[in-house]
Structures are given as structure tokens and as C-alpha cells.
Amino acid sequence: MYSVIFRDKRTSGVDGSMINQYKLLSQSGHTVGMFSPFGDLHKHYENVDHYPYFDPSIDTSIDIRSYVRGNRDKIIKVMFDSIVRFKPDIIISSFDMNKKIYLKMMDLNIPIIYNSCAVPGFYNDLKNGNFLSNFIASGHTLSCMSYYHKQR
């Protein structure tokens, strides 16, 4: 799983969703691993791999978005190394749909559930529409959750 969170506070509904999934699957007896690109989530939960610690309240010279953008390739490499070491039966990912990253994930031959929290028709989904179709045709799953989905 992939989660972006720091300290005890979640930074978005996506983060809260990933934490709830982690807790639910763990309580159900599954061995669950998670990856966090920054923050101290690894101090609160077991099997959380992380990119070297970054605390925006300590290092005020850079904001989180700039930090992640500036270290994106390194973070992705560490994330994939973590996935390979953990050897999951399934990957649940809320990482924005990105052809480069998901093609690499698909090469791992592990079923993927892409957890989209965006409203259907969001720019990223439209931009990747053909790829999403191929992603699903390859046996992977698209799970959509948003207030929009709840109302439908």
C-alpha cells in the first residue's frame, strides 16, 4: 500500500482511507505492508517502509510538495525495492494513475487494486483513459471512492 501521511494527522481523505484499510486488513489477520514517502508513520505501525524521514515542521526550508517532486525518482525506487522485499499477494495503491509507475508495477506480476479517490472524469483519469482500460483488461482492479461515488 502507498500512503502519504505525517505525524498523527492525515493530510487527505486518501491517507485516512489507506490507514483504515491497513488497520482493517491487519485486524483481519492479514500481513500488511505500507510505504510512506515522508513522515513518521513507520513509528506508529508495523511493516511500514519509508523514504528517509522528512518532517515539514522541522525543515521549513522546503514544503512537502517540493520535497516529493524533488525526490520523486528516489522515492519511487525505494518504494519498488520495498514492494519486491515484502513480496505481497496484492498491491492496493492510491498513487495517482501514472503510466510509467503502473507499467512498472504491472511488471511485478502482482494483482493491483488502484484506489481512485477522484471524481470520475478527473483530468488524470481522462488523460490515462486508454491505459486504465488496458490496466483493467490485464486483470487489475479499479476501485473508485469519493463523495460523488457515495451519492450514486
Side-chain angles (χ1 to χ4, degrees):
M1 284 197 249
Y2 171 84
S3 179
V4 179
I5 194 166
F6 65 97
R7 298 198 176 248
D8 308 285
K9 301 175 185 175
R10 61 188 177 90
T11 57
S12 74
V14 174
D15 305 327
S17 171
M18 294 305 292
I19 295 297
N20 286 337
Q21 289 173 20
Y22 177 92
K23 289 178 180 176
L24 181 64
L25 290 168
S26 295
Q27 291 167 356
S28 299
H30 298 280
T31 303
V32 182
M34 194 177 330
F35 181 83
S36 178
F38 60 84
D40 63 357
L41 192 61
H42 58 282
K43 294 179 181 179
H44 303 281
Y45 299 97
E46 293 181 24
N47 291 330
V48 176
D49 208 350
H50 62 286
Y51 190 71
Y53 185 75
F54 169 74
D55 185 341
S57 67
I58 294 172
D59 185 356
T60 58
S61 65
I62 188 170
D63 63 44
I64 294 169
R65 181 168 281 155
S66 298
Y67 170 81
V68 171
R69 283 184 184 149
N71 292 287
R72 187 175 182 90
D73 290 340
K74 294 176 197 170
I75 290 169
I76 290 168
K77 181 185 180 331
V78 171
M79 180 182 73
F80 275 99
D81 290 347
S82 175
I83 292 170
V84 169
R85 270 193 319 275
F86 189 76
K87 300 177 184 166
D89 294 327
I90 192 164
I91 297 171
I92 302 173
S93 176
S94 61
F95 203 111
D96 287 340
M97 184 49 67
N98 174 306
K99 190 174 181 180
K100 178 181 173 183
I101 292 168
Y102 279 90
L103 279 173
K104 190 171 180 176
M105 263 193 226
M106 291 165 69
D107 284 344
L108 296 174
N109 292 319
I110 300 169
I112 304 164
I113 298 174
Y114 167 50
N115 224 3
S116 174
C117 294
V119 173
F122 183 67
Y123 173 75
N124 196 43
D125 292 339
L126 291 175
K127 181 176 84 170
N128 291 294
N130 288 337
F131 179 69
L132 277 170
S133 178
N134 293 336
F135 176 82
I136 293 166
S138 297
H140 303 289
T141 303
L142 169 62
S143 172
C144 298
M145 300 174 264
S146 70
Y147 184 74
Y148 174 89
H149 295 104
K150 181 179 176 183
Q151 297 303 311
R152 300 300 178 258

